[in-house]
Amino acid sequence: SSGINAEWPLRPGKEFRALGDCKAKPCQLFRHYRESGPAALNSFLNSESYEERYQIIMKYVFDPISRALCECPGMIGASTNCARNYDGTLFTFTRMDRAQFDSVVEEIDWKALKTILHGWVKGGCGEKNGKDCVAELSDMFSISGRWLDNTFRGEDSCQSLIRLEEEFTVYMETAFSFNMTTDTVKSVANKFMDVYSDMQRKSLCDPSCAAEVMDSFYSCCVKHSLEVTLSKPMRKNYQKLFRNMWGLFSEEKVPNLNSAVNKYLAMMDLDGFCKDQTNVYGERNEECESLGA
């Protein structure tokens, strides 16, 4: 027993020990998942709706990580430094080949990755308009479960895919129509974003439903998160990381996906994306800005 512990490859390293009061945070997370895991799994298996399942995943899995990073953002640097400088004890311990791990470590632009992770933390922490942003973002992601519930109940409502039947059908047909032997990555990305944009426009901008849909997810916290995570500095780092890591997946030249990316970013500016049909997102933006949120 003591011999195993002495060689245990996942013991805290100096990077985490240097975090001061936050050095215990990884162990606290581990204990949380170990102790709450059985109850969370039981709740998930006994849940009666997709929305409830999504809420359980957010509550037991993502929220604890989010709060830990909000309290201790230094964990990001400690984690990336551990990965970069890892001595490979785990591979020795398990007699696994570490060549692929080393290849990933060499390819990653660690500065860009850390900037992106810190941006996500900045965008998802704190309070806006008196609301806890970790909880608000968790609720936003859980909303998709409600859409599935309403859809499978046959409910033709604002928060149901039945309302998007035509656009969703085209979207699925397009997703299964690609021929990777003849289509390029660039053409696939552009086609996919075109039909996805059409579906999102119907989902978010339809004047008869926009107010209800907006109220269900677009809070000041979500507005802030989108602005931070899609800012120009963040976009540059996304591009850097994508170009940097492309070699891990393909030996071909890095594709130019600027057009597809710009289409996606246009959707994230909800006021501009829906302006020709509704101004509810612009009104919410003004409300948040007037509150300093």
Side-chain angles (χ1 to χ4, degrees):
S1 169
S2 59
I4 292 176
N5 288 335
E7 293 183 5
W8 179 240
L10 297 180
R11 62 186 183 276
K14 64 179 181 180
E15 298 289 349
F16 284 96
R17 290 196 296 270
L19 290 177
D21 292 341
C22 288
K23 65 183 178 183
K25 191 61 69 175
C27 292
Q28 291 170 3
L29 280 173
F30 175 78
R31 281 197 297 272
H32 162 76
Y33 291 124
R34 182 187 64 189
E35 294 169 4
S36 66
L41 180 60
N42 188 55
S43 297
F44 183 86
L45 294 175
N46 292 323
S47 59
E48 297 181 352
S49 70
Y50 283 100
E51 184 172 11
E52 186 179 354
R53 290 177 195 130
Y54 284 27
Q55 289 170 344
I56 290 167
I57 292 171
M58 297 309 300
K59 176 181 178 180
Y60 288 100
V61 181
F62 291 101
D63 285 6
I65 294 176
S66 297
R67 294 196 184 282
L69 289 172
C70 289
E71 294 173 19
C72 301
M75 289 172 58
I76 294 172
S79 299
T80 55
N81 287 338
C82 281
R84 291 178 66 187
N85 303 317
Y86 185 52
D87 60 11
T89 304
L90 177 60
F91 296 100
T92 303
F93 189 74
T94 58
R95 298 185 180 180
M96 294 171 59
D97 183 7
R98 63 172 291 170
Q100 188 171 9
F101 172 81
D102 289 338
S103 175
V104 172
V105 169
E106 290 172 7
E107 289 289 339
I108 291 178
D109 184 328
W110 291 97
K111 183 178 179 181
L113 177 60
K114 284 197 288 187
T115 300
I116 289 169
L117 294 176
H118 278 292
W120 288 350
V121 169
K122 181 181 178 182
C125 298
E127 291 188 357
K128 294 294 177 184
N129 194 21
K131 300 290 181 66
D132 173 20
C133 285
V134 170
E136 289 282 293
L137 293 172
S138 179
D139 288 344
M140 179 194 72
F141 288 118
S142 299
I143 293 286
S144 54
R146 183 186 307 168
W147 281 68
L148 289 176
D149 291 329
N150 293 340
T151 301
F152 290 125
R153 281 197 296 263
E155 182 179 314
D156 187 1
S157 64
C158 286
Q159 297 183 61
S160 168
L161 292 174
I162 292 174
R163 179 168 66 88
L164 317 177
E165 182 176 3
E166 181 179 340
E167 291 79 8
F168 185 71
T169 299
V170 172
Y171 171 81
M172 294 305 296
E173 288 175 347
T174 302
F176 287 103
S177 70
F178 297 128
N179 184 338
M180 298 312 295
T181 60
T182 57
D183 291 327
T184 64
V185 173
K186 179 179 178 179
S187 67
V188 167
N190 280 318
K191 289 178 187 175
F192 185 79
M193 290 312 304
D194 283 339
V195 294
Y196 183 64
S197 177
D198 290 341
M199 187 172 69
Q200 288 294 87
R201 191 176 299 280
K202 181 64 178 289
S203 169
L204 299 169
C205 308
D206 186 338
S208 64
C209 285
E212 178 183 334
V213 172
M214 185 275 294
D215 276 334
S216 73
F217 83 95
Y218 192 59
S219 65
C220 295
C221 284
V222 173
K223 170 185 176 293
H224 170 72
S225 179
L226 289 173
E227 287 175 348
V228 172
T229 57
L230 297 175
S231 64
K232 285 186 177 179
M234 289 288 282
R235 295 182 195 183
K236 288 181 180 178
N237 281 287
Y238 293 141
Q239 292 174 341
K240 275 186 186 178
L241 194 62
F242 172 74
R243 290 194 300 266
N244 184 248
M245 295 189 66
W246 178 255
L248 293 173
F249 310 102
S250 174
E251 295 180 356
E252 296 181 5
K253 182 181 177 181
V254 180
N256 183 346
L257 301 183
N258 287 344
S259 177
V261 169
N262 288 336
K263 291 173 185 176
Y264 176 78
L265 294 174
M267 284 186 280
M268 297 300 102
D269 173 14
L270 295 175
D271 181 30
F273 185 59
C274 295
K275 206 171 202 50
D276 61 339
Q277 297 184 62
T278 179
N279 64 349
V280 294
Y281 297 100
E283 291 173 354
R284 175 57 53 85
N285 288 347
E286 291 175 2
E287 176 188 336
C288 294
E289 288 162 8
S290 69
L291 295 168

